[in-house]
mmCIF file of all heavy atoms in Angstrom:
data_model
loop_
_atom_site.group_PDB
_atom_site.id
_atom_site.type_symbol
_atom_site.label_atom_id
_atom_site.label_comp_id
_atom_site.label_asym_id
_atom_site.label_seq_id
_atom_site.Cartn_x
_atom_site.Cartn_y
_atom_site.Cartn_z
ATOM 1 N N TRP A 1 7.189 18.572 18.263
ATOM 2 C CA TRP A 1 5.971 17.829 18.562
ATOM 3 C C TRP A 1 6.223 16.411 19.099
ATOM 4 O O TRP A 1 5.198 15.699 19.419
ATOM 5 C CB TRP A 1 5.185 17.660 17.221
ATOM 6 C CG TRP A 1 5.095 18.920 16.391
ATOM 7 C CD1 TRP A 1 4.675 20.167 16.876
ATOM 8 C CD2 TRP A 1 5.500 19.076 15.052
ATOM 9 N NE1 TRP A 1 4.739 21.065 15.860
ATOM 10 C CE2 TRP A 1 5.284 20.466 14.741
ATOM 11 C CE3 TRP A 1 5.977 18.249 14.100
ATOM 12 C CZ2 TRP A 1 5.522 20.958 13.463
ATOM 13 C CZ3 TRP A 1 6.255 18.751 12.806
ATOM 14 C CH2 TRP A 1 6.026 20.124 12.538
ATOM 15 N N GLY A 2 7.445 15.996 19.274
ATOM 16 C CA GLY A 2 7.676 14.696 19.753
ATOM 17 C C GLY A 2 7.871 13.696 18.633
ATOM 18 O O GLY A 2 8.699 12.841 18.711
ATOM 19 N N ARG A 3 7.082 13.847 17.581
ATOM 20 C CA ARG A 3 7.235 13.032 16.385
ATOM 21 C C ARG A 3 6.675 13.846 15.219
ATOM 22 O O ARG A 3 5.742 14.602 15.407
ATOM 23 C CB ARG A 3 6.559 11.672 16.533
ATOM 24 C CG ARG A 3 5.025 11.759 16.595
ATOM 25 C CD ARG A 3 4.356 10.403 16.596
ATOM 26 N NE ARG A 3 2.947 10.473 16.639
ATOM 27 C CZ ARG A 3 2.150 10.665 15.582
ATOM 28 N NH1 ARG A 3 2.713 10.796 14.389
ATOM 29 N NH2 ARG A 3 0.820 10.696 15.687
ATOM 30 N N PRO A 4 7.216 13.652 14.025
ATOM 31 C CA PRO A 4 6.655 14.357 12.860
ATOM 32 C C PRO A 4 5.202 13.887 12.578
ATOM 33 O O PRO A 4 4.874 12.802 12.744
ATOM 34 C CB PRO A 4 7.581 13.954 11.738
ATOM 35 C CG PRO A 4 8.869 13.470 12.386
ATOM 36 C CD PRO A 4 8.401 12.848 13.693
ATOM 37 N N TYR A 5 4.418 14.875 12.112
ATOM 38 C CA TYR A 5 3.004 14.551 11.767
ATOM 39 C C TYR A 5 2.896 13.865 10.423
ATOM 40 O O TYR A 5 2.110 12.937 10.231
ATOM 41 C CB TYR A 5 2.171 15.832 11.773
ATOM 42 C CG TYR A 5 1.986 16.507 13.070
ATOM 43 C CD1 TYR A 5 2.138 17.860 13.209
ATOM 44 C CD2 TYR A 5 1.678 15.761 14.242
ATOM 45 C CE1 TYR A 5 1.932 18.511 14.455
ATOM 46 C CE2 TYR A 5 1.490 16.363 15.480
ATOM 47 C CZ TYR A 5 1.622 17.748 15.561
ATOM 48 O OH TYR A 5 1.417 18.351 16.773
ATOM 49 N N LEU A 6 3.699 14.275 9.439
ATOM 50 C CA LEU A 6 3.587 13.746 8.126
ATOM 51 C C LEU A 6 4.550 12.554 7.939
ATOM 52 O O LEU A 6 5.614 12.525 8.547
ATOM 53 C CB LEU A 6 3.979 14.798 7.090
ATOM 54 C CG LEU A 6 2.807 15.718 6.527
ATOM 55 C CD1 LEU A 6 2.195 16.494 7.716
ATOM 56 C CD2 LEU A 6 3.301 16.640 5.459
ATOM 57 N N THR A 7 4.107 11.561 7.158
ATOM 58 C CA THR A 7 4.996 10.472 6.845
ATOM 59 C C THR A 7 5.906 10.841 5.668
ATOM 60 O O THR A 7 5.653 11.864 4.962
ATOM 61 C CB THR A 7 4.142 9.261 6.414
ATOM 62 O OG1 THR A 7 3.444 9.575 5.209
ATOM 63 C CG2 THR A 7 3.138 8.880 7.515
ATOM 64 N N ARG A 8 6.915 10.059 5.497
ATOM 65 C CA ARG A 8 7.816 10.291 4.334
ATOM 66 C C ARG A 8 7.061 10.233 3.037
ATOM 67 O O ARG A 8 7.323 11.015 2.097
ATOM 68 C CB ARG A 8 8.966 9.250 4.372
ATOM 69 C CG ARG A 8 9.858 9.241 3.101
ATOM 70 C CD ARG A 8 10.575 10.572 2.903
ATOM 71 N NE ARG A 8 11.357 10.578 1.672
ATOM 72 C CZ ARG A 8 10.898 10.803 0.459
ATOM 73 N NH1 ARG A 8 9.594 11.121 0.309
ATOM 74 N NH2 ARG A 8 11.688 10.812 -0.574
ATOM 75 N N ALA A 9 6.106 9.306 2.935
ATOM 76 C CA ALA A 9 5.372 9.146 1.656
ATOM 77 C C ALA A 9 4.570 10.399 1.356
ATOM 78 O O ALA A 9 4.290 10.663 0.156
ATOM 79 C CB ALA A 9 4.421 7.935 1.772
ATOM 80 N N ALA A 10 4.194 11.181 2.363
ATOM 81 C CA ALA A 10 3.400 12.411 2.077
ATOM 82 C C ALA A 10 4.120 13.320 1.139
ATOM 83 O O ALA A 10 3.548 13.940 0.248
ATOM 84 C CB ALA A 10 3.050 13.059 3.413
ATOM 85 N N PHE A 11 5.446 13.495 1.356
ATOM 86 C CA PHE A 11 6.192 14.424 0.557
ATOM 87 C C PHE A 11 6.291 13.980 -0.910
ATOM 88 O O PHE A 11 6.204 14.809 -1.860
ATOM 89 C CB PHE A 11 7.582 14.686 1.171
ATOM 90 C CG PHE A 11 7.505 15.377 2.483
ATOM 91 C CD1 PHE A 11 7.621 14.606 3.653
ATOM 92 C CD2 PHE A 11 7.312 16.694 2.560
ATOM 93 C CE1 PHE A 11 7.468 15.213 4.906
ATOM 94 C CE2 PHE A 11 7.200 17.355 3.834
ATOM 95 C CZ PHE A 11 7.312 16.589 4.985
ATOM 96 N N THR A 12 6.524 12.688 -1.105
ATOM 97 C CA THR A 12 6.505 12.165 -2.493
ATOM 98 C C THR A 12 5.163 12.417 -3.171
ATOM 99 O O THR A 12 5.116 12.899 -4.311
ATOM 100 C CB THR A 12 6.842 10.678 -2.517
ATOM 101 O OG1 THR A 12 8.192 10.444 -2.097
ATOM 102 C CG2 THR A 12 6.641 10.081 -3.916
ATOM 103 N N LEU A 13 4.066 12.110 -2.442
ATOM 104 C CA LEU A 13 2.742 12.314 -3.075
ATOM 105 C C LEU A 13 2.429 13.798 -3.335
ATOM 106 O O LEU A 13 1.851 14.128 -4.330
ATOM 107 C CB LEU A 13 1.684 11.698 -2.139
ATOM 108 C CG LEU A 13 1.691 10.188 -2.045
ATOM 109 C CD1 LEU A 13 0.649 9.706 -1.034
ATOM 110 C CD2 LEU A 13 1.448 9.532 -3.399
ATOM 111 N N LEU A 14 2.869 14.648 -2.371
ATOM 112 C CA LEU A 14 2.651 16.080 -2.621
ATOM 113 C C LEU A 14 3.420 16.561 -3.861
ATOM 114 O O LEU A 14 2.910 17.335 -4.667
ATOM 115 C CB LEU A 14 3.100 16.851 -1.430
ATOM 116 C CG LEU A 14 2.164 16.760 -0.137
ATOM 117 C CD1 LEU A 14 2.840 17.396 1.048
ATOM 118 C CD2 LEU A 14 0.821 17.353 -0.417
ATOM 119 N N GLY A 15 4.651 16.035 -4.018
ATOM 120 C CA GLY A 15 5.430 16.412 -5.167
ATOM 121 C C GLY A 15 4.777 15.940 -6.452
ATOM 122 O O GLY A 15 4.766 16.640 -7.494
ATOM 123 N N GLU A 16 4.237 14.715 -6.447
ATOM 124 C CA GLU A 16 3.619 14.162 -7.640
ATOM 125 C C GLU A 16 2.322 14.825 -8.002
ATOM 126 O O GLU A 16 2.023 15.076 -9.185
ATOM 127 C CB GLU A 16 3.347 12.654 -7.412
ATOM 128 C CG GLU A 16 4.620 11.792 -7.343
ATOM 129 C CD GLU A 16 4.304 10.361 -7.002
ATOM 130 O OE1 GLU A 16 3.152 10.012 -6.698
ATOM 131 O OE2 GLU A 16 5.258 9.577 -6.996
ATOM 132 N N ARG A 17 1.553 15.200 -6.948
ATOM 133 C CA ARG A 17 0.181 15.672 -7.199
ATOM 134 C C ARG A 17 0.054 17.165 -7.298
ATOM 135 O O ARG A 17 -0.917 17.641 -7.934
ATOM 136 C CB ARG A 17 -0.752 15.151 -6.109
ATOM 137 C CG ARG A 17 -0.847 13.624 -6.159
ATOM 138 C CD ARG A 17 -1.746 13.112 -5.013
ATOM 139 N NE ARG A 17 -1.706 11.634 -5.009
ATOM 140 C CZ ARG A 17 -2.437 10.872 -4.199
ATOM 141 N NH1 ARG A 17 -3.255 11.449 -3.299
ATOM 142 N NH2 ARG A 17 -2.361 9.574 -4.257
ATOM 143 N N MET A 18 0.981 17.906 -6.711
ATOM 144 C CA MET A 18 0.879 19.366 -6.747
ATOM 145 C C MET A 18 2.256 20.065 -6.726
ATOM 146 O O MET A 18 2.409 21.117 -6.125
ATOM 147 C CB MET A 18 0.012 19.844 -5.543
ATOM 148 C CG MET A 18 0.479 19.393 -4.200
ATOM 149 S SD MET A 18 -0.748 19.787 -2.868
ATOM 150 C CE MET A 18 -0.996 21.542 -3.016
ATOM 151 N N GLY A 19 3.181 19.403 -7.388
ATOM 152 C CA GLY A 19 4.576 19.956 -7.417
ATOM 153 C C GLY A 19 4.679 21.374 -7.969
ATOM 154 O O GLY A 19 5.537 22.139 -7.577
ATOM 155 N N ASP A 20 3.759 21.708 -8.920
ATOM 156 C CA ASP A 20 3.799 23.051 -9.484
ATOM 157 C C ASP A 20 3.322 24.133 -8.490
ATOM 158 O O ASP A 20 3.488 25.320 -8.752
ATOM 159 C CB ASP A 20 2.980 23.118 -10.769
ATOM 160 C CG ASP A 20 1.551 22.737 -10.553
ATOM 161 O OD1 ASP A 20 1.207 22.045 -9.550
ATOM 162 O OD2 ASP A 20 0.635 23.148 -11.365
ATOM 163 N N ARG A 21 2.743 23.675 -7.379
ATOM 164 C CA ARG A 21 2.303 24.615 -6.328
ATOM 165 C C ARG A 21 3.204 24.539 -5.092
ATOM 166 O O ARG A 21 2.841 24.993 -4.002
ATOM 167 C CB ARG A 21 0.852 24.322 -5.962
ATOM 168 C CG ARG A 21 -0.155 24.758 -7.048
ATOM 169 C CD ARG A 21 -1.587 24.565 -6.599
ATOM 170 N NE ARG A 21 -2.018 23.179 -6.802
ATOM 171 C CZ ARG A 21 -3.211 22.715 -6.449
ATOM 172 N NH1 ARG A 21 -4.072 23.537 -5.903
ATOM 173 N NH2 ARG A 21 -3.549 21.469 -6.652
ATOM 174 N N ILE A 22 4.404 23.955 -5.291
ATOM 175 C CA ILE A 22 5.330 23.832 -4.203
ATOM 176 C C ILE A 22 6.614 24.553 -4.586
ATOM 177 O O ILE A 22 7.095 24.503 -5.720
ATOM 178 C CB ILE A 22 5.620 22.365 -3.893
ATOM 179 C CG1 ILE A 22 4.438 21.680 -3.233
ATOM 180 C CG2 ILE A 22 6.903 22.173 -3.059
ATOM 181 C CD1 ILE A 22 4.604 20.197 -3.088
ATOM 182 N N ALA A 23 7.191 25.259 -3.575
ATOM 183 C CA ALA A 23 8.516 25.880 -3.783
ATOM 184 C C ALA A 23 9.398 25.387 -2.617
ATOM 185 O O ALA A 23 9.153 25.719 -1.458
ATOM 186 C CB ALA A 23 8.437 27.376 -3.741
ATOM 187 N N LEU A 24 10.371 24.567 -2.905
ATOM 188 C CA LEU A 24 11.271 24.025 -1.924
ATOM 189 C C LEU A 24 12.622 24.799 -1.968
ATOM 190 O O LEU A 24 13.291 24.805 -2.974
ATOM 191 C CB LEU A 24 11.542 22.506 -2.182
ATOM 192 C CG LEU A 24 12.450 21.787 -1.231
ATOM 193 C CD1 LEU A 24 11.903 21.804 0.201
ATOM 194 C CD2 LEU A 24 12.680 20.370 -1.699
ATOM 195 N N VAL A 25 12.901 25.457 -0.881
ATOM 196 C CA VAL A 25 14.120 26.267 -0.790
ATOM 197 C C VAL A 25 15.168 25.426 -0.007
ATOM 198 O O VAL A 25 14.938 25.114 1.127
ATOM 199 C CB VAL A 25 13.874 27.626 -0.095
ATOM 200 C CG1 VAL A 25 15.158 28.449 -0.086
ATOM 201 C CG2 VAL A 25 12.752 28.360 -0.736
ATOM 202 N N LEU A 26 16.296 25.156 -0.692
ATOM 203 C CA LEU A 26 17.323 24.314 -0.089
ATOM 204 C C LEU A 26 18.619 25.135 -0.001
ATOM 205 O O LEU A 26 18.997 25.858 -0.950
ATOM 206 C CB LEU A 26 17.565 23.025 -0.852
ATOM 207 C CG LEU A 26 16.429 22.025 -0.852
ATOM 208 C CD1 LEU A 26 16.787 20.822 -1.767
ATOM 209 C CD2 LEU A 26 16.090 21.530 0.526
ATOM 210 N N ALA A 27 19.345 24.949 1.074
ATOM 211 C CA ALA A 27 20.687 25.528 1.226
ATOM 212 C C ALA A 27 21.723 24.392 1.127
ATOM 213 O O ALA A 27 21.601 23.408 1.775
ATOM 214 C CB ALA A 27 20.817 26.230 2.566
ATOM 215 N N TYR A 28 22.674 24.604 0.224
ATOM 216 C CA TYR A 28 23.721 23.598 0.007
ATOM 217 C C TYR A 28 25.054 24.134 0.464
ATOM 218 O O TYR A 28 25.403 25.289 0.274
ATOM 219 C CB TYR A 28 23.826 23.305 -1.505
ATOM 220 C CG TYR A 28 22.671 22.583 -2.093
ATOM 221 C CD1 TYR A 28 21.502 23.297 -2.410
ATOM 222 C CD2 TYR A 28 22.707 21.213 -2.341
ATOM 223 C CE1 TYR A 28 20.407 22.680 -3.044
ATOM 224 C CE2 TYR A 28 21.587 20.566 -2.944
ATOM 225 C CZ TYR A 28 20.474 21.320 -3.257
ATOM 226 O OH TYR A 28 19.416 20.668 -3.840
ATOM 227 N N GLN A 29 25.844 23.247 1.123
ATOM 228 C CA GLN A 29 27.204 23.527 1.459
ATOM 229 C C GLN A 29 28.093 22.493 0.900
ATOM 230 O O GLN A 29 27.908 21.304 1.143
ATOM 231 C CB GLN A 29 27.364 23.600 3.021
ATOM 232 C CG GLN A 29 28.704 24.063 3.493
ATOM 233 C CD GLN A 29 28.744 24.257 4.993
ATOM 234 O OE1 GLN A 29 28.818 23.276 5.751
ATOM 235 N NE2 GLN A 29 28.678 25.509 5.455
ATOM 236 N N ASP A 30 29.051 22.896 0.095
ATOM 237 C CA ASP A 30 29.887 21.956 -0.670
ATOM 238 C C ASP A 30 29.109 20.917 -1.395
ATOM 239 O O ASP A 30 29.432 19.688 -1.451
ATOM 240 C CB ASP A 30 30.857 21.300 0.375
ATOM 241 C CG ASP A 30 31.792 22.279 1.015
ATOM 242 O OD1 ASP A 30 32.138 23.259 0.417
ATOM 243 O OD2 ASP A 30 32.071 22.026 2.239
#
């Protein structure tokens, strides 16, 4: 899109306000 639509603060607020309705899938290497 040229630039991200959401700000960094959006993710913190989403986690605080609706974390039980979020599933974050992360891949870890070492």
Side-chain angles (χ1 to χ4, degrees):
W1 315 306
R3 67 175 182 84
Y5 292 136
L6 272 60
T7 65
R8 169 63 182 84
F11 294 99
T12 292
L13 292 177
L14 290 170
E16 291 174 354
R17 297 178 185 183
M18 54 189 306
D20 59 337
R21 287 184 279 178
I22 288 173
L24 180 61
V25 183
L26 293 177
Y28 292 80
Q29 187 173 76
D30 298 327

